[in-house]
Amino acid sequence: MNFDTSLWLVFILIGLATTLPRASFIVLGNRVTLPGVVQRALRYAPAAALAAIVVPDLLVVGNELQVFNPKLAAGCAAVTASVLWRNPWLPFIAGMTVLLGLRFGLGL
Amino acid sequence: MTSSFRTGAREGFAAFLPLSVGLVPWALVMGMAMISTGFSPLQAMGMNVIVFAGTAQLGTLPLIAAEAPIWLIIMTALALNLRFVIFSAAIAPGFRGTRLAERWLAGHLLTDGVFAVCLDKMLHNDDPRWRLGYFLAPAAWSWLLWQVFALIGILAAAYIPRQWSLEFMANIALIVLLVPMARVRPMLIAAIIGGTSATLLRNLPLRLGVIVGICAGIAAGFAAENIEHRNKQP
């Protein structure tokens, strides 16, 4: 894939989109407060966004919904590992083992 | 640098050091995922330095790879980092009496881990210099670890064959972030609705399905919270 100079523009814009929320109240000080309703709604943004990014990638193969596919199996392995153990490496090891095992071992 | 800044820095660093090990696999995965997306090592390090926000970096990689429109990439990064508006509001009193430039720096360096470690003591100490040291030392240490291990990941990824699908590690990383959130029921509902609607709406133009999914997920989580709350009342 080819990425040109516009990629750097994208980085800068993503940088702004991530720094402005973090800096917002620290820079503004206590002059402004956030309504409780907004605070409560904002808490759901990351979970919704993470799922909106990951789930389609696990369920869709070549634009078709496919429940039995190596990526979904690997995702389930990663979920199981992170539910059961605190070790930060295990989900990666479990997920990649299942993905590569199914791809190379079973040729899926 | 005043001596109370140094004392604060030492104490903050000591409090954060054991936790900071957890950053290592993330940074390695981040480095490898950026290379798997197709970035050059310079581009990957550029993103890592400019953005310095793991979730938003990992979350926008698939969109960048799919050549999604810029505004969608920005909106997604924003959605992934909106929780920091709340963190920022909570920790803001800890920065009273510090200069504007220091506040911007502190804002850029704010991460989940540093927030969790620093919040309490920053709100209960009267010395602004001590507080700034207590925040900046762990924050700068996180930054350094993040950059160093991302670079190691970047260099290692260049020697790993593409068939190994290392880019999938970005998905695993996002799953690992999602799992502890989804232990709370409304949060789980937000994730299920967000994921399902983004999947069903994947053919919308401009990959709008992601944004619609995020909005639907937020609405569903919020509604579930309100229903739960109402049921608890006598």
Side-chain angles (χ1 to χ4, degrees), chain A residues 19 22 40 44 57 63 103, chain B residues 88 108 165 171 225-226:
Chain A
T19 293
R22 287 185 275 185
R40 278 162 57 206
Y44 297 102
D57 199 47
N63 210 27
R103 282 228 176 116
Chain B
S88 189
H108 179 67
S165 304
N171 271 332
E225 181 191 307
N226 285 330

Side-chain angles (χ1 to χ4, degrees), chain A residues 14-39:
Chain A
I14 297 175
L16 286 175
T18 57
T19 293
L20 291 179
R22 287 185 275 185
S24 56
F25 284 91
I26 293 178
V27 169
L28 288 172
N30 285 336
R31 280 166 290 173
V32 198
T33 50
L34 215 54
V37 182
V38 178
Q39 287 203 29

Side-chain angles (χ1 to χ4, degrees), chain B residues 55-119:
Chain B
T55 322
Q57 277 172 260
L58 286 166
T60 50
L61 281 183
L63 298 175
I64 296 175
E67 292 176 60
I70 289 188
W71 65 266
L72 174 65
I73 298 173
I74 310 302
M75 291 292 286
T76 307
L78 197 59
L80 287 169
N81 253 34
L82 270 181
R83 68 186 183 286
F84 280 106
V85 176
I86 304 166
F87 294 174
S88 189
I91 206 169
F95 292 94
R96 61 190 185 276
T98 55
R99 284 192 291 272
L100 190 63
E102 294 165 340
R103 287 164 184 247
W104 274 110
L105 176 67
H108 179 67
L109 293 179
L110 184 66
T111 59
D112 302 86
V114 172
F115 171 77
V117 167
C118 294
L119 180 66

Side-chain angles (χ1 to χ4, degrees), chain A residues 50-103:
Chain A
L50 289 173
I53 295 163
V54 178
V55 176
D57 199 47
L58 297 182
L59 288 177
V60 178
V61 183
N63 210 27
E64 293 290 312
L65 271 185
Q66 246 180 54
V67 182
F68 296 101
N69 80 77
K71 284 199 286 186
L72 183 62
C76 292
V79 170
T80 311
S82 55
V83 168
L84 294 181
W85 299 291
R86 292 245 143 214
N87 185 315
W89 302 88
L90 280 176
F92 294 102
I93 297 170
M96 290 312 284
T97 307
V98 169
L99 181 72
L100 298 179
L102 290 176
R103 282 228 176 116

Side-chain angles (χ1 to χ4, degrees), chain B residues 158-192:
Chain B
Y159 296 96
I160 297 174
R162 287 200 63 85
Q163 303 94 286
W164 288 20
S165 304
L166 279 187
E167 74 285 349
F168 192 74
M169 297 228 284
N171 271 332
I172 299 178
L174 299 174
I175 289 171
V176 176
L177 289 172
L178 185 56
V179 166
M181 291 180 192
R183 284 176 200 265
V184 188
R185 196 176 325 141
M187 208 66 97
L188 179 64
I189 291 170
I192 291 172

